[in-house]
Amino acid sequence: MKLQSDIRAWQPPASIANAGVWDKFCDRSTSASPKFAPSTWVKLFNPPTAFSFDEAWLLCQYSEDKWLAWIPDYGEILLGINEFCTPI
């Protein structure tokens, strides 16, 4: 068994990805209104470490596809919009 040192490198099994489970979990449809807003909690797909929380608090938008966020017990981090979604 191989131990992964970077949990962010994890990818879902092909059976889950192909079944559309991620699409149901996180709707990535495009819309005119922004999907994310500052001061909201989001669910992380891959936390930065095995010991950090799997949720982050959005601080501000850095660019069109990146957000500055704060993760409890980790600190500030720059996240791409493909690394998180709004909790259901």
Side-chain angles (χ1 to χ4, degrees):
M1 186 166 111
K2 181 183 170 192
L3 177 66
Q4 281 187 298
S5 60
D6 186 6
I7 196 166
R8 293 180 80 172
W10 179 85
Q11 295 294 321
S15 60
I16 293 175
N18 293 339
V21 173
W22 288 116
D23 293 335
K24 292 177 186 175
F25 180 69
C26 182
D27 180 20
R28 293 278 180 206
S29 61
T30 57
S31 62
S33 63
K35 181 172 175 113
F36 306 109
S39 301
T40 56
W41 286 101
V42 293
K43 189 78 168 171
L44 299 174
F45 293 126
N46 300 310
T49 69
F51 304 106
S52 64
F53 283 74
D54 63 348
E55 293 183 334
W57 180 256
L58 295 180
L59 299 174
C60 64
Q61 191 167 6
Y62 180 78
S63 68
E64 186 176 319
D65 62 342
K66 296 212 181 275
W67 280 81
L68 181 64
W70 175 78
I71 301 173
D73 290 343
Y74 181 79
E76 290 183 354
I77 187 170
L78 193 60
L79 297 170
I81 59 171
N82 61 343
E83 297 181 84
F84 61 89
C85 71
T86 53
I88 297 174

